[in-house]
Amino acid sequence: NAYYKACNLIWKSTSSSQGRHVELAFLSAAKHFVEKDLEVSMAGRVFMITGANSGIGRATAMAIAKRGGTVHMVCRNKDKAEEARADIVKESGNKEIYVHILDLSETRKVWEFAEAFKRKYKALNVLINNAGCIMSERDVNAEGLEKSFASNVMGVYILTRGLIPLLEKSAEPRVITVSSGGMLVQKLRTGNLQTEIGRYDGTMVYAQHKRQQVVMTEQWAKTHSNVHFSVMHPGWVDTPAVANAMPDFHQSMKDSMRTPEQGADTAVWLAISEAAATKPSGSFFQDRRMVSAHLPLAWTHSSQLEQQKFMSVMEDLAKTFQPH
């Protein structure tokens, strides 16, 4: 489909100038990484990671746990979450790992979770928005929102917005959102957010959501100057989510896809390194480097007015589900 072709295009454009495989591109980029950036203790710092029981989220949780950070794993499936927690505790020796069960596609429950977390906990230094979903066909949640929009966009918006007051009260707060290079083929949409009009192509809808995450990050950085916001492309990573959502792409590329640990590297770097905090808030990253959120000569740029309109629509929609 169109997304599969787009992924191949981006694969070539974001791998390396020689068109190497992505894993080789990571190893090439890693030669320029500063090792001591990650040689830090996170003891006393508190992290929340959504989708933390598998793939990039789990690898991120493990890396932070090994450095002594307190980790709140926000997961949809209790059994998988508890199993992942047990593995992380065993391998890291860190018992400050907590599981919270939340489906980000359940809009009212995301609000309730954020409010309850603020009441119960005194600090949150870093929020990592990692969870995401790709739907094969259009479906709606209990509130009538298209499910992947509810999870990928509205859930991220409400969770982040809801937790910003707690982040702002905490030391050196950061918010990192895991996007995807798929967004490079999408221009921000300010209408038809629920994909009610036109054919539903779940992978292209997902790519639009990833563009929307980039715009949210850029806009939050402007309005909340004391929180460091960033968004990143993990590279093409061999995860269960990719295998399930894009079987053809996964089958043809799996031998050269990144490991979850390689995919998580930049998210971990953004979450814990001092170097990351010196970069401008609101930036897009790949392999620990700031990169453009648009391909060269791309048609995907949107105006400041369009971006503000999108944020206004999100705010109005979010408020309709806010508990009173």
Side-chain angles (χ1 to χ4, degrees), residues 85-157:
R85 180 195 176 271
D87 289 346
I88 290 167
V89 169
K90 185 178 179 184
E91 192 172 324
S92 68
N94 182 350
K95 292 180 180 168
E96 297 291 303
I97 315 296
Y98 303 96
V99 165
H100 306 267
I101 303 305
L102 174 70
D103 185 335
L104 282 165
S105 74
E106 296 177 350
T107 308
R108 281 194 174 88
K109 288 185 180 175
V110 180
W111 267 124
E112 289 163 6
F113 171 77
E115 296 305 313
F117 192 91
K118 281 188 294 193
R119 286 194 297 270
K120 185 171 181 180
Y121 297 97
K122 292 185 172 65
L124 178 64
N125 303 100
V126 182
L127 168 62
I128 302 173
N129 292 309
N130 164 72
C133 72
I134 303 177
M135 304 287 290
S136 56
E137 54 190 48
R138 192 179 186 278
D139 195 8
V140 295
N141 67 4
E143 290 85 8
L145 296 179
E146 191 271 316
K147 269 192 178 177
S148 65
F149 170 81
S151 183
N152 299 332
V153 189
M154 186 54 73
V156 170
Y157 183 88

Side-chain angles (χ1 to χ4, degrees), residues 129-190:
N129 292 309
N130 164 72
C133 72
I134 303 177
M135 304 287 290
S136 56
E137 54 190 48
R138 192 179 186 278
D139 195 8
V140 295
N141 67 4
E143 290 85 8
L145 296 179
E146 191 271 316
K147 269 192 178 177
S148 65
F149 170 81
S151 183
N152 299 332
V153 189
M154 186 54 73
V156 170
Y157 183 88
I158 291 172
L159 186 63
T160 305
R161 184 192 178 286
L163 292 173
I164 279 173
L166 182 58
L167 285 155
E168 288 182 325
K169 288 195 294 188
S170 308
E172 296 177 48
R174 306 181 188 189
V175 175
I176 297 106
T177 300
V178 178
S179 182
S180 165
M183 66 92 198
L184 290 166
V185 299
Q186 287 282 317
K187 182 181 183 207
L188 175 71
R189 274 206 315 242
T190 58

Side-chain angles (χ1 to χ4, degrees), residues 97-301:
I97 315 296
Y98 303 96
V99 165
H100 306 267
I101 303 305
L102 174 70
D103 185 335
L104 282 165
S105 74
E106 296 177 350
T107 308
R108 281 194 174 88
K109 288 185 180 175
V110 180
W111 267 124
E112 289 163 6
F113 171 77
E115 296 305 313
F117 192 91
K118 281 188 294 193
R119 286 194 297 270
K120 185 171 181 180
Y121 297 97
K122 292 185 172 65
L124 178 64
N125 303 100
V126 182
L127 168 62
I128 302 173
N129 292 309
N130 164 72
C133 72
I134 303 177
M135 304 287 290
S136 56
E137 54 190 48
R138 192 179 186 278
D139 195 8
V140 295
N141 67 4
E143 290 85 8
L145 296 179
E146 191 271 316
K147 269 192 178 177
S148 65
F149 170 81
S151 183
N152 299 332
V153 189
M154 186 54 73
V156 170
Y157 183 88
I158 291 172
L159 186 63
T160 305
R161 184 192 178 286
L163 292 173
I164 279 173
L166 182 58
L167 285 155
E168 288 182 325
K169 288 195 294 188
S170 308
E172 296 177 48
R174 306 181 188 189
V175 175
I176 297 106
T177 300
V178 178
S179 182
S180 165
M183 66 92 198
L184 290 166
V185 299
Q186 287 282 317
K187 182 181 183 207
L188 175 71
R189 274 206 315 242
T190 58
N192 195 28
L193 296 181
Q194 310 297 316
T195 326
E196 293 165 298
I197 303 162
R199 181 174 153 269
Y200 186 89
D201 179 337
T203 45
M204 292 308 274
V205 168
Y206 176 78
Q208 172 62 211
H209 295 163
K210 293 295 161 177
R211 169 61 69 191
Q212 290 167 352
Q213 289 177 350
V214 170
V215 170
M216 289 193 293
T217 297
E218 291 169 348
Q219 294 301 308
W220 281 326
K222 291 174 183 173
T223 51
H224 301 282
S225 58
N226 49 352
V227 179
H228 189 276
F229 290 90
S230 56
V231 60
M232 52 81 71
H233 171 43
W236 304 107
V237 183
D238 190 356
T239 64
V242 172
N244 291 334
M246 297 190 288
D248 293 344
F249 180 75
H250 180 261
Q251 186 61 36
S252 64
M253 299 297 190
K254 66 180 180 181
D255 292 338
S256 49
M257 293 179 97
R258 296 181 176 199
T259 65
E261 290 72 25
Q262 290 171 338
D265 177 81
T266 295
V268 173
W269 180 81
L270 287 166
I272 73 174
S273 76
E274 286 185 22
T278 67
K279 307 296 183 188
S281 183
S283 300
F284 183 65
F285 290 83
Q286 181 180 347
D287 293 336
R288 303 193 195 180
R289 288 172 53 235
M290 278 172 54
V291 294
S292 174
H294 302 272
L295 290 170
L297 307 176
W299 47 273
T300 53
H301 295 267

Side-chain angles (χ1 to χ4, degrees), residues 46-91:
V46 182
F47 299 77
M48 181 186 289
I49 306 168
T50 64
N53 60 273
S54 69
I56 293 167
R58 178 184 168 133
T60 303
M62 181 71 82
I64 290 167
K66 285 179 175 178
R67 289 162 176 83
T70 296
V71 178
H72 292 277
M73 303 171 61
V74 177
C75 308
R76 195 173 49 183
N77 183 303
K78 189 174 193 301
D79 292 342
K80 288 179 181 176
E82 292 292 356
E83 185 183 335
R85 180 195 176 271
D87 289 346
I88 290 167
V89 169
K90 185 178 179 184
E91 192 172 324

